[in-house]
Amino acid sequence: GVYREVLLVGVLFSWFPNIPWDRQPFSALRDLCDPFLALCREVMPPVFGRKLDLSPLIAFMAIDIIIMILRPQPRM
């Protein structure tokens, strides 16, 4: 769940072009988010001439699936 929140912050900050991604804490945020998003970009590359990146959508869906698999099911 924590990684999902970190990913959300990273995706939201990516909308602002003036953020200094080479300085802390932004470089740490990028280092945490970019490897997983790069995997998701292989599944679905950006569309509309690379203007619309849907990799965060794939990433959030993958995280939700992993959480559903790993969460213990209640016994009846």
Side-chain angles (χ1 to χ4, degrees):
V2 172
Y3 185 72
R4 184 183 177 137
E5 303 303 320
V6 169
L7 189 62
L8 179 64
V9 170
V11 168
L12 291 176
F13 278 161
S14 71
W15 292 346
F16 299 99
N18 59 347
I19 288 184
W21 287 105
D22 56 335
R23 288 191 269 165
Q24 291 292 344
F26 303 113
S27 65
L29 188 63
R30 176 176 268 177
D31 291 343
L32 286 171
C33 297
D34 277 359
F36 188 55
L37 289 174
L39 285 173
C40 296
R41 281 187 198 103
E42 290 181 17
V43 173
M44 177 169 277
V47 292
F48 299 121
R50 304 181 73 78
K51 292 183 188 247
L52 181 60
D53 185 8
L54 298 176
S55 62
L57 179 64
I58 302 294
F60 286 119
M61 288 182 355
I63 290 171
D64 285 343
I65 290 170
I66 292 169
I67 288 172
M68 285 188 327
I69 291 171
L70 295 178
R71 183 176 291 151
Q73 299 298 321
R75 296 186 182 242
M76 294 187 186

